């Protein structure tokens, strides 16, 4: 990881760049043309209803998010990819975009290449993910957060960094809400808890964390509960862009202060030495000796230190 990186952007795909609906222990139901057609066919009686709850969920999501349906064989919504590109366009040249989705696995390489091409088209310039979180088994929200924390720890756990590090997380966390689960002893209730957890992973870093949680839950007209990753909203885009463009005041570390102190002592000593007046005084024995003038009092030294600070 380059030392000058000041922003990490962790990007999930399912539930962020498409609408993904939790379907029990099965794989999420992606809101695409094929699933919408099957759900509509079941409601119209064209197909036998094998999983009534699943049909109800897809039909409800299609009604709420009709503009976000993945078309054809695409696994991502064109609208949502465009929104992600809008966020990335606001990032500085010192940002690193990290793929934290299950799409980081080798079997998704071709899909990732296609996604990178789509993002490049919307950005108007070539785009590739700068890095990926480590490939480990993830089935729950805490698994995903632990992977993100491991990435931050691997690159930013050592002392010496003083500049603030932005961390933007764009994720639906497996279509999971922000309550009722914990990660390594930290209970999750809101964005501040993500800040607490990641700060534990990199205690010497000055982290500023923003979570864009692409998640909603509701009940269908038939009363079926739905939990879904609903993709990036226009409001999410505005929040993310504002975070990426925000200026943060520098927080001085003890290492910084120690360095400044040493430099001040060095520079002030030279500054004082250059201004000491050498005079001749007579010794009681009538011999000539050389001594420094006592005219430079401590008040003067402190004043000189203030001047040195202003010159730094």
């Amino acid at each position: 990881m380059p030392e000058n990186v000041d922003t990490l952007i962790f990007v999930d795909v399912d539930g962020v760049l498409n609408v993904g609906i939790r379907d029990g222990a099965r794989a999420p139901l992606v809101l695409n043309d094929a699933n919408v057609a099957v759900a509509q066919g079941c409601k119209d009686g064209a197909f036998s209803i094998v999983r009534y709850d699943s049909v109800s969920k897809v039909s409800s999501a299609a009604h709420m998010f009709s503009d976000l349906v993945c078309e054809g064989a695409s696994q991502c919504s064109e609208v949502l990819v465009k929104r992600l590109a809008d966020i990335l366009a606001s990032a500085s040249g010192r940002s690193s975009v990290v793929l934290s989705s299950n799409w980081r696995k080798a079997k998704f390489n071709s899909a990732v290449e296609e996604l990178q091409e789509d993002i490049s088209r919307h950005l108007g310039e070539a785009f590739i993910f700068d890095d990926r979180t480590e490939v480990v088994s993830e089935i729950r929200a805490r698994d995903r957060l632990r992977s993100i924390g491991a990435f931050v720890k691997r690159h930013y756990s050592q002392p010496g960094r003083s500049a603030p590090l932005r961390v933007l997380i764009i994720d639906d966390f497996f279509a999971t809400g922000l309550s009722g689960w914990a990660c390594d002893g930290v209970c999750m209730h809101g964005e501040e808890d993500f800040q607490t957890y990641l700060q534990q992973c990199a205690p010497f870093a000055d982290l500023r964390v923003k979570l864009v949680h692409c998640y909603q839950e509701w009940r269908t007209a038939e009363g079926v509960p739905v939990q879904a990753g609903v993709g990036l909203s226009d409001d999410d885009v505005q929040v993310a862009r504002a975070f990426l463009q925000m200026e943060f005041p520098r927080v001085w570390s003890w290492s910084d202060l120690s360095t400044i102190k040493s430099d001040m002592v060095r520079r002030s000593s030279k500054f004082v030495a250059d201004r000491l007046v050498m005079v001749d005084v007579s010794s009681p024995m009538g011999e000539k000796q050389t001594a420094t003038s006592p005219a430079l009092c401590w008040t003067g030294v402190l004043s000189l230190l203030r001047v040195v600070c202003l010159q730094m």
Side-chain angles (χ1 to χ4, degrees), residues 11 238 276:
V11 178
Q238 295 305 313
L276 288 177

Side-chain angles (χ1 to χ4, degrees), residues 170-181:
I170 307 174
D171 209 306
D172 74 325
F173 285 94
F174 296 96
T176 304
L178 292 185
S179 62
W181 60 279

Side-chain angles (χ1 to χ4, degrees), residues 12-14 18 75-76 99-109 111-112 115 132 144:
D12 184 21
V13 175
D14 291 322
N18 57 37
Q75 300 180 65
C76 295
L99 183 63
S100 53
S101 165
N102 279 335
W103 282 37
R104 67 191 187 277
K105 297 177 181 177
K107 67 179 182 179
F108 292 104
N109 282 348
V112 170
L115 173 58
R132 304 182 182 199
R144 173 62 49 79

Side-chain angles (χ1 to χ4, degrees), residues 72-215:
S74 177
Q75 300 180 65
C76 295
S77 161
E78 187 73 11
V79 173
L80 296 176
V81 174
K82 170 67 165 57
R83 290 175 182 171
L84 175 62
D86 289 343
I87 292 174
L88 299 181
S90 299
S92 71
R94 293 177 295 170
S95 300
S96 183
V97 185
V98 183
L99 183 63
S100 53
S101 165
N102 279 335
W103 282 37
R104 67 191 187 277
K105 297 177 181 177
K107 67 179 182 179
F108 292 104
N109 282 348
S110 59
V112 170
E113 290 178 3
E114 182 178 341
L115 173 58
Q116 290 175 153
E117 292 175 1
D118 290 341
I119 295 174
S120 298
R121 175 165 45 81
H122 288 295
L123 283 175
E125 60 183 26
F127 169 83
I128 60 172
F129 288 99
D130 297 300
D131 212 333
R132 304 182 182 199
T133 52
E134 186 178 357
V135 177
V136 295
S137 176
E138 294 178 350
I139 58 176
R140 298 181 180 86
R142 63 172 173 265
D143 301 328
R144 173 62 49 79
L145 180 55
R146 188 176 290 122
S147 293
I148 293 173
F151 184 95
V152 172
K153 182 177 183 178
R154 185 163 64 250
H155 294 287
Y156 297 101
S157 61
Q158 299 302 314
R161 180 185 178 89
S162 58
L165 176 68
R166 289 184 182 87
V167 179
L168 174 62
I169 303 173
I170 307 174
D171 209 306
D172 74 325
F173 285 94
F174 296 96
T176 304
L178 292 185
S179 62
W181 60 279
C183 184
D184 298 334
V186 179
C187 296
M188 297 298 151
H189 299 287
E191 183 177 85
E192 63 277 4
D193 299 313
F194 282 74
Q195 169 90 34
T196 299
Y197 177 77
L198 293 180
Q199 193 67 71
Q200 289 182 2
C201 296
F204 297 104
D206 179 22
L207 300 184
R208 313 298 171 89
V209 179
K210 174 60 67 176
L211 172 64
V212 174
H213 189 214
C214 306
Y215 170 80

